[in-house]
Amino acid sequence: MTSLSPLAATVNVAIGGAAGAVLRYQAGRGMTRWFGAQTMVGYPWATIAVNVLGSIAMGLLAGYLARHSDGSGEQWRLLVGVGLLGGFTTFSAFSLELMLLIERGQPALALSYALVSVLAGLTGLYIGLIIMRIAA
C-alpha cells in the first residue's frame, strides 16, 4: 500500500470537499427549481435527499474499497469518502434544521425529520453495501 504524504492527503481532501460542497449547493438549488420553492419551504427535503444519496455513495465506496483495496485505496478514501462525501452530506445542516424545528415549537415534525434522516441514511448505506456485494 502506498501512503500519501500529509500534503497530498490534505490536497485530496480539499479538492474532494470543494467539489462535494458545490454539488450539495447545486442539489438544493436543483430541487427547489424542480419541485418549486413552495414545496421546499417548511421541511428540509434537500437535506434529506443529499444525506440519503451521500449515504448510498458512502456504502458503494466502502464496499468497493473493502473488496478491491490496492495501493490507491487510501487516496480514494480521502478524495471521495472524506472530501467529496464529507462536503456533500450535510449533518451540520441537519442539526441546525432539527434545532430550528424544535425552537419553532414543532416537536412532532422535528422527530419525524430526525427519524427519516437517520433511518433513510442507514438504509441508503446498507443498499450501497448490498449492491457492491452482489456486484462482486
mmCIF file of all heavy atoms in Angstrom, residues 12-47:
data_model
loop_
_atom_site.group_PDB
_atom_site.id
_atom_site.type_symbol
_atom_site.label_atom_id
_atom_site.label_comp_id
_atom_site.label_asym_id
_atom_site.label_seq_id
_atom_site.Cartn_x
_atom_site.Cartn_y
_atom_site.Cartn_z
ATOM 1 N N ASN A 12 -6.009 16.072 -1.453
ATOM 2 C CA ASN A 12 -7.107 15.189 -1.866
ATOM 3 C C ASN A 12 -8.401 15.517 -1.123
ATOM 4 O O ASN A 12 -9.464 15.600 -1.730
ATOM 5 C CB ASN A 12 -6.723 13.725 -1.637
ATOM 6 C CG ASN A 12 -5.968 13.133 -2.785
ATOM 7 O OD1 ASN A 12 -6.561 12.654 -3.740
ATOM 8 N ND2 ASN A 12 -4.654 13.181 -2.721
ATOM 9 N N VAL A 13 -8.306 15.703 0.188
ATOM 10 C CA VAL A 13 -9.490 16.031 0.977
ATOM 11 C C VAL A 13 -10.047 17.395 0.555
ATOM 12 O O VAL A 13 -11.264 17.564 0.396
ATOM 13 C CB VAL A 13 -9.176 16.003 2.489
ATOM 14 C CG1 VAL A 13 -10.344 16.557 3.307
ATOM 15 C CG2 VAL A 13 -8.847 14.583 2.937
ATOM 16 N N ALA A 14 -9.169 18.360 0.339
ATOM 17 C CA ALA A 14 -9.611 19.713 -0.031
ATOM 18 C C ALA A 14 -10.308 19.726 -1.385
ATOM 19 O O ALA A 14 -11.372 20.346 -1.539
ATOM 20 C CB ALA A 14 -8.418 20.664 -0.044
ATOM 21 N N ILE A 15 -9.729 19.051 -2.365
ATOM 22 C CA ILE A 15 -10.344 19.020 -3.702
ATOM 23 C C ILE A 15 -11.696 18.318 -3.633
ATOM 24 O O ILE A 15 -12.695 18.798 -4.169
ATOM 25 C CB ILE A 15 -9.399 18.337 -4.709
ATOM 26 C CG1 ILE A 15 -8.197 19.233 -4.985
ATOM 27 C CG2 ILE A 15 -10.132 17.995 -6.003
ATOM 28 C CD1 ILE A 15 -7.084 18.566 -5.767
ATOM 29 N N GLY A 16 -11.737 17.173 -2.969
ATOM 30 C CA GLY A 16 -13.000 16.450 -2.832
ATOM 31 C C GLY A 16 -14.032 17.246 -2.057
ATOM 32 O O GLY A 16 -15.202 17.297 -2.426
ATOM 33 N N GLY A 17 -13.600 17.893 -0.978
ATOM 34 C CA GLY A 17 -14.522 18.683 -0.165
ATOM 35 C C GLY A 17 -15.106 19.851 -0.929
ATOM 36 O O GLY A 17 -16.301 20.147 -0.808
ATOM 37 N N ALA A 18 -14.283 20.526 -1.711
ATOM 38 C CA ALA A 18 -14.779 21.642 -2.519
ATOM 39 C C ALA A 18 -15.816 21.155 -3.525
ATOM 40 O O ALA A 18 -16.889 21.751 -3.673
ATOM 41 C CB ALA A 18 -13.621 22.339 -3.228
ATOM 42 N N ALA A 19 -15.506 20.061 -4.203
ATOM 43 C CA ALA A 19 -16.456 19.513 -5.176
ATOM 44 C C ALA A 19 -17.747 19.074 -4.493
ATOM 45 O O ALA A 19 -18.849 19.318 -5.002
ATOM 46 C CB ALA A 19 -15.806 18.340 -5.920
ATOM 47 N N GLY A 20 -17.634 18.429 -3.332
ATOM 48 C CA GLY A 20 -18.820 17.980 -2.607
ATOM 49 C C GLY A 20 -19.699 19.133 -2.149
ATOM 50 O O GLY A 20 -20.927 19.067 -2.225
ATOM 51 N N ALA A 21 -19.075 20.210 -1.683
ATOM 52 C CA ALA A 21 -19.843 21.378 -1.243
ATOM 53 C C ALA A 21 -20.591 22.019 -2.406
ATOM 54 O O ALA A 21 -21.751 22.414 -2.269
ATOM 55 C CB ALA A 21 -18.907 22.391 -0.583
ATOM 56 N N VAL A 22 -19.938 22.097 -3.556
ATOM 57 C CA VAL A 22 -20.602 22.654 -4.740
ATOM 58 C C VAL A 22 -21.763 21.762 -5.162
ATOM 59 O O VAL A 22 -22.857 22.253 -5.472
ATOM 60 C CB VAL A 22 -19.591 22.847 -5.897
ATOM 61 C CG1 VAL A 22 -20.297 23.170 -7.204
ATOM 62 C CG2 VAL A 22 -18.594 23.950 -5.554
ATOM 63 N N LEU A 23 -21.552 20.446 -5.161
ATOM 64 C CA LEU A 23 -22.630 19.520 -5.509
ATOM 65 C C LEU A 23 -23.796 19.636 -4.542
ATOM 66 O O LEU A 23 -24.963 19.591 -4.946
ATOM 67 C CB LEU A 23 -22.110 18.080 -5.530
ATOM 68 C CG LEU A 23 -21.218 17.708 -6.702
ATOM 69 C CD1 LEU A 23 -20.623 16.316 -6.485
ATOM 70 C CD2 LEU A 23 -21.990 17.762 -8.007
ATOM 71 N N ARG A 24 -23.510 19.791 -3.262
ATOM 72 C CA ARG A 24 -24.567 19.929 -2.251
ATOM 73 C C ARG A 24 -25.388 21.197 -2.504
ATOM 74 O O ARG A 24 -26.612 21.199 -2.484
ATOM 75 C CB ARG A 24 -23.913 19.969 -0.866
ATOM 76 C CG ARG A 24 -24.810 19.763 0.340
ATOM 77 C CD ARG A 24 -25.781 20.740 0.568
ATOM 78 N NE ARG A 24 -26.784 20.656 1.536
ATOM 79 C CZ ARG A 24 -28.050 20.838 1.228
ATOM 80 N NH1 ARG A 24 -28.444 20.936 -0.004
ATOM 81 N NH2 ARG A 24 -28.955 20.927 2.147
ATOM 82 N N TYR A 25 -24.686 22.290 -2.768
ATOM 83 C CA TYR A 25 -25.350 23.563 -3.055
ATOM 84 C C TYR A 25 -26.228 23.437 -4.307
ATOM 85 O O TYR A 25 -27.386 23.860 -4.311
ATOM 86 C CB TYR A 25 -24.291 24.655 -3.241
ATOM 87 C CG TYR A 25 -24.840 25.957 -3.741
ATOM 88 C CD1 TYR A 25 -25.669 26.746 -2.944
ATOM 89 C CD2 TYR A 25 -24.530 26.407 -5.013
ATOM 90 C CE1 TYR A 25 -26.170 27.952 -3.407
ATOM 91 C CE2 TYR A 25 -25.026 27.608 -5.485
ATOM 92 C CZ TYR A 25 -25.850 28.372 -4.682
ATOM 93 O OH TYR A 25 -26.348 29.560 -5.150
ATOM 94 N N GLN A 26 -25.686 22.840 -5.348
ATOM 95 C CA GLN A 26 -26.436 22.703 -6.599
ATOM 96 C C GLN A 26 -27.615 21.735 -6.445
ATOM 97 O O GLN A 26 -28.642 21.909 -7.096
ATOM 98 C CB GLN A 26 -25.509 22.273 -7.737
ATOM 99 C CG GLN A 26 -24.501 23.333 -8.130
ATOM 100 C CD GLN A 26 -25.141 24.619 -8.619
ATOM 101 O OE1 GLN A 26 -26.249 24.638 -9.138
ATOM 102 N NE2 GLN A 26 -24.439 25.723 -8.425
ATOM 103 N N ALA A 27 -27.469 20.730 -5.606
ATOM 104 C CA ALA A 27 -28.584 19.806 -5.356
ATOM 105 C C ALA A 27 -29.758 20.545 -4.730
ATOM 106 O O ALA A 27 -30.913 20.353 -5.120
ATOM 107 C CB ALA A 27 -28.136 18.662 -4.452
ATOM 108 N N GLY A 28 -29.484 21.402 -3.754
ATOM 109 C CA GLY A 28 -30.547 22.196 -3.132
ATOM 110 C C GLY A 28 -31.208 23.135 -4.121
ATOM 111 O O GLY A 28 -32.435 23.259 -4.161
ATOM 112 N N ARG A 29 -30.397 23.794 -4.925
ATOM 113 C CA ARG A 29 -30.940 24.691 -5.959
ATOM 114 C C ARG A 29 -31.765 23.918 -6.977
ATOM 115 O O ARG A 29 -32.846 24.346 -7.380
ATOM 116 C CB ARG A 29 -29.813 25.418 -6.673
ATOM 117 C CG ARG A 29 -29.152 26.475 -5.823
ATOM 118 C CD ARG A 29 -28.199 27.302 -6.629
ATOM 119 N NE ARG A 29 -28.956 27.841 -7.773
ATOM 120 C CZ ARG A 29 -28.414 28.424 -8.819
ATOM 121 N NH1 ARG A 29 -27.122 28.559 -8.897
ATOM 122 N NH2 ARG A 29 -29.157 28.882 -9.791
ATOM 123 N N GLY A 30 -31.241 22.769 -7.401
ATOM 124 C CA GLY A 30 -31.941 21.961 -8.396
ATOM 125 C C GLY A 30 -33.281 21.449 -7.886
ATOM 126 O O GLY A 30 -34.281 21.476 -8.609
ATOM 127 N N MET A 31 -33.302 20.998 -6.635
ATOM 128 C CA MET A 31 -34.566 20.518 -6.072
ATOM 129 C C MET A 31 -35.577 21.649 -5.942
ATOM 130 O O MET A 31 -36.762 21.453 -6.199
ATOM 131 C CB MET A 31 -34.327 19.845 -4.713
ATOM 132 C CG MET A 31 -33.677 18.491 -4.842
ATOM 133 S SD MET A 31 -33.569 17.632 -3.273
ATOM 134 C CE MET A 31 -35.295 17.261 -2.964
ATOM 135 N N THR A 32 -35.117 22.822 -5.553
ATOM 136 C CA THR A 32 -36.025 23.965 -5.444
ATOM 137 C C THR A 32 -36.586 24.320 -6.818
ATOM 138 O O THR A 32 -37.775 24.590 -6.967
ATOM 139 C CB THR A 32 -35.289 25.175 -4.830
ATOM 140 O OG1 THR A 32 -34.851 24.806 -3.519
ATOM 141 C CG2 THR A 32 -36.202 26.386 -4.728
ATOM 142 N N ARG A 33 -35.733 24.302 -7.826
ATOM 143 C CA ARG A 33 -36.179 24.612 -9.182
ATOM 144 C C ARG A 33 -37.139 23.531 -9.681
ATOM 145 O O ARG A 33 -38.152 23.815 -10.304
ATOM 146 C CB ARG A 33 -34.962 24.745 -10.093
ATOM 147 C CG ARG A 33 -35.253 25.298 -11.452
ATOM 148 C CD ARG A 33 -34.022 25.646 -12.293
ATOM 149 N NE ARG A 33 -32.874 24.765 -12.115
ATOM 150 C CZ ARG A 33 -31.748 25.100 -11.478
ATOM 151 N NH1 ARG A 33 -31.583 26.290 -10.990
ATOM 152 N NH2 ARG A 33 -30.754 24.240 -11.351
ATOM 153 N N TRP A 34 -36.816 22.263 -9.425
ATOM 154 C CA TRP A 34 -37.612 21.149 -9.929
ATOM 155 C C TRP A 34 -38.973 21.061 -9.231
ATOM 156 O O TRP A 34 -40.016 20.929 -9.871
ATOM 157 C CB TRP A 34 -36.856 19.855 -9.732
ATOM 158 C CG TRP A 34 -37.516 18.638 -10.336
ATOM 159 C CD1 TRP A 34 -38.843 18.431 -10.539
ATOM 160 C CD2 TRP A 34 -36.874 17.485 -10.818
ATOM 161 N NE1 TRP A 34 -39.068 17.210 -11.091
ATOM 162 C CE2 TRP A 34 -37.868 16.603 -11.287
ATOM 163 C CE3 TRP A 34 -35.556 17.084 -10.887
ATOM 164 C CZ2 TRP A 34 -37.583 15.349 -11.820
ATOM 165 C CZ3 TRP A 34 -35.285 15.839 -11.429
ATOM 166 C CH2 TRP A 34 -36.284 14.996 -11.880
ATOM 167 N N PHE A 35 -38.971 21.122 -7.899
ATOM 168 C CA PHE A 35 -40.211 20.935 -7.148
ATOM 169 C C PHE A 35 -40.922 22.237 -6.825
ATOM 170 O O PHE A 35 -42.062 22.216 -6.385
ATOM 171 C CB PHE A 35 -39.928 20.175 -5.847
ATOM 172 C CG PHE A 35 -39.462 18.771 -6.076
ATOM 173 C CD1 PHE A 35 -38.152 18.411 -5.806
ATOM 174 C CD2 PHE A 35 -40.315 17.801 -6.569
ATOM 175 C CE1 PHE A 35 -37.705 17.116 -6.017
ATOM 176 C CE2 PHE A 35 -39.885 16.505 -6.786
ATOM 177 C CZ PHE A 35 -38.574 16.160 -6.516
ATOM 178 N N GLY A 36 -40.236 23.356 -6.975
ATOM 179 C CA GLY A 36 -40.821 24.654 -6.665
ATOM 180 C C GLY A 36 -40.520 25.079 -5.249
ATOM 181 O O GLY A 36 -40.469 24.249 -4.335
ATOM 182 N N ALA A 37 -40.324 26.369 -5.084
ATOM 183 C CA ALA A 37 -39.957 26.923 -3.774
ATOM 184 C C ALA A 37 -41.029 26.630 -2.734
ATOM 185 O O ALA A 37 -40.728 26.382 -1.572
ATOM 186 C CB ALA A 37 -39.712 28.423 -3.894
ATOM 187 N N GLN A 38 -42.291 26.652 -3.129
ATOM 188 C CA GLN A 38 -43.389 26.426 -2.189
ATOM 189 C C GLN A 38 -43.312 25.029 -1.579
ATOM 190 O O GLN A 38 -43.572 24.852 -0.397
ATOM 191 C CB GLN A 38 -44.708 26.599 -2.940
ATOM 192 C CG GLN A 38 -45.840 27.264 -2.245
ATOM 193 C CD GLN A 38 -45.492 28.371 -1.263
ATOM 194 O OE1 GLN A 38 -44.490 29.075 -1.333
ATOM 195 N NE2 GLN A 38 -46.354 28.524 -0.311
ATOM 196 N N THR A 39 -42.947 24.029 -2.378
ATOM 197 C CA THR A 39 -42.843 22.656 -1.886
ATOM 198 C C THR A 39 -41.681 22.508 -0.911
ATOM 199 O O THR A 39 -41.761 21.743 0.051
ATOM 200 C CB THR A 39 -42.634 21.690 -3.075
ATOM 201 O OG1 THR A 39 -43.724 21.844 -3.972
ATOM 202 C CG2 THR A 39 -42.550 20.247 -2.627
ATOM 203 N N MET A 40 -40.613 23.243 -1.174
ATOM 204 C CA MET A 40 -39.390 23.081 -0.390
ATOM 205 C C MET A 40 -39.433 23.841 0.939
ATOM 206 O O MET A 40 -38.634 23.561 1.825
ATOM 207 C CB MET A 40 -38.183 23.547 -1.202
ATOM 208 C CG MET A 40 -37.997 22.764 -2.506
ATOM 209 S SD MET A 40 -37.797 20.993 -2.288
ATOM 210 C CE MET A 40 -36.158 20.936 -1.620
ATOM 211 N N VAL A 41 -40.351 24.767 1.090
ATOM 212 C CA VAL A 41 -40.441 25.574 2.310
ATOM 213 C C VAL A 41 -41.063 24.746 3.434
ATOM 214 O O VAL A 41 -42.019 24.026 3.231
ATOM 215 C CB VAL A 41 -41.283 26.850 2.062
ATOM 216 C CG1 VAL A 41 -41.580 27.579 3.356
ATOM 217 C CG2 VAL A 41 -40.576 27.761 1.082
ATOM 218 N N GLY A 42 -40.493 24.852 4.624
ATOM 219 C CA GLY A 42 -41.118 24.244 5.799
ATOM 220 C C GLY A 42 -40.588 22.879 6.166
ATOM 221 O O GLY A 42 -40.776 22.441 7.289
ATOM 222 N N TYR A 43 -39.963 22.180 5.229
ATOM 223 C CA TYR A 43 -39.401 20.868 5.538
ATOM 224 C C TYR A 43 -38.118 20.708 4.740
ATOM 225 O O TYR A 43 -38.107 20.977 3.541
ATOM 226 C CB TYR A 43 -40.395 19.759 5.191
ATOM 227 C CG TYR A 43 -40.112 18.451 5.888
ATOM 228 C CD1 TYR A 43 -40.463 18.252 7.214
ATOM 229 C CD2 TYR A 43 -39.484 17.407 5.216
ATOM 230 C CE1 TYR A 43 -40.204 17.055 7.864
ATOM 231 C CE2 TYR A 43 -39.221 16.198 5.850
ATOM 232 C CZ TYR A 43 -39.587 16.027 7.166
ATOM 233 O OH TYR A 43 -39.327 14.838 7.807
ATOM 234 N N PRO A 44 -37.050 20.275 5.348
ATOM 235 C CA PRO A 44 -35.738 20.238 4.692
ATOM 236 C C PRO A 44 -35.550 19.045 3.741
ATOM 237 O O PRO A 44 -34.722 18.171 3.955
ATOM 238 C CB PRO A 44 -34.756 20.198 5.860
ATOM 239 C CG PRO A 44 -35.544 19.682 7.004
ATOM 240 C CD PRO A 44 -36.970 20.045 6.786
ATOM 241 N N TRP A 45 -36.342 19.012 2.679
ATOM 242 C CA TRP A 45 -36.292 17.931 1.710
ATOM 243 C C TRP A 45 -34.920 17.772 1.073
ATOM 244 O O TRP A 45 -34.447 16.653 0.868
ATOM 245 C CB TRP A 45 -37.341 18.130 0.618
ATOM 246 C CG TRP A 45 -38.739 18.011 1.107
ATOM 247 C CD1 TRP A 45 -39.660 19.024 1.235
ATOM 248 C CD2 TRP A 45 -39.403 16.827 1.559
ATOM 249 N NE1 TRP A 45 -40.838 18.535 1.731
ATOM 250 C CE2 TRP A 45 -40.715 17.180 1.936
ATOM 251 C CE3 TRP A 45 -39.009 15.499 1.675
ATOM 252 C CZ2 TRP A 45 -41.626 16.262 2.418
ATOM 253 C CZ3 TRP A 45 -39.926 14.577 2.148
ATOM 254 C CH2 TRP A 45 -41.220 14.965 2.520
ATOM 255 N N ALA A 46 -34.290 18.878 0.708
ATOM 256 C CA ALA A 46 -32.989 18.803 0.039
ATOM 257 C C ALA A 46 -31.939 18.159 0.952
ATOM 258 O O ALA A 46 -31.126 17.356 0.497
ATOM 259 C CB ALA A 46 -32.536 20.190 -0.419
ATOM 260 N N THR A 47 -31.962 18.504 2.229
ATOM 261 C CA THR A 47 -31.001 17.931 3.162
ATOM 262 C C THR A 47 -31.209 16.428 3.295
ATOM 263 O O THR A 47 -30.244 15.652 3.298
ATOM 264 C CB THR A 47 -31.110 18.612 4.541
ATOM 265 O OG1 THR A 47 -30.848 19.997 4.371
ATOM 266 C CG2 THR A 47 -30.121 18.030 5.534
#
